[in-house]
């Protein structure tokens, strides 16, 4: 069983930046970041395919968020810039052992981090 341990997050003013980290104890085909605001469904924010390093983003964060990884440390990062109050949510990293499927579907993923709160004040 792969374990994902998250760090980072916190509170920031609008326009600020935060970085999230997710350290994995084993391999995955792809790693993603999801977020969930109160009363809303969990939504996929960004994904990185481990073998190719291909990345994809939700339209709402494109150009502001960057997903990356440190292969040596088996850690995935989410750099979040130009944050707005709309980005306030609990953020989760996730790992998927398999290929294919819709990366934005939470049901695709086998492993989940513990979650970290991101709060953006305007």
């Amino acid at each position: 069983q792969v374990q994902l341990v998250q760090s980072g997050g916190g509170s920031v003013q609008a326009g600020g930046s935060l970085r999230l980290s997710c350290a994995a104890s084993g391999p995955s085909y792809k790693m993603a970041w999801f977020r969930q605001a109160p009363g809303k469904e969990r939504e996929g924010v960004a994904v990185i395919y481990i073998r190719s390093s291909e990345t994809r983003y939700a339209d709402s964060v494109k150009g502001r968020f960057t997903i990356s990884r440190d292969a040596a440390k088996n850690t995935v990062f989410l750099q979040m810039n130009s944050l707005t109050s709309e980005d306030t949510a609990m953020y989760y990293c996730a790992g998927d052992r398999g290929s294919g499927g819709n990366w934005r579907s939470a049901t695709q993923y086998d492993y989940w981090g513990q979650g970290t709160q991101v709060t953006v004040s305007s």
Side-chain angles (χ1 to χ4, degrees):
Q1 181 76 5
V2 173
Q3 292 187 328
L4 304 180
V5 179
Q6 296 179 222
S7 59
S11 297
V12 68
Q13 289 191 329
S17 299
L18 287 171
R19 190 173 87 151
L20 307 180
S21 300
C22 175
S25 63
S28 294
Y29 179 81
K30 63 181 181 280
M31 297 285 292
W33 287 96
F34 283 74
R35 66 186 181 186
Q36 188 166 21
K40 295 188 177 181
E41 291 187 357
R42 192 169 294 193
E43 65 166 340
V45 172
V47 66
I48 185 165
Y49 292 84
I50 300 304
R51 193 169 294 182
S52 67
S53 293
E54 177 187 357
T55 59
R56 298 181 187 177
Y57 298 90
D59 287 343
S60 58
V61 306
K62 209 171 287 184
R64 299 188 299 122
F65 289 13
T66 302
I67 188 170
S68 62
R69 73 183 190 103
D70 181 332
K73 297 181 179 179
N74 208 16
T75 298
V76 174
F77 305 98
L78 185 69
Q79 178 66 41
M80 304 182 292
N81 299 329
S82 301
L83 287 161
T84 74
S85 58
E86 296 294 309
D87 298 313
T88 295
M90 185 73 77
Y91 283 71
Y92 299 89
C93 66
D96 180 10
R97 294 173 299 184
S99 61
N102 178 4
W103 74 265
R104 299 197 66 186
S105 172
T107 59
Q108 294 290 320
Y109 295 84
D110 303 294
Y111 316 114
W112 290 88
Q114 79 275 20
T116 187
Q117 179 68 35
V118 170
T119 302
V120 184
S121 57
S122 56

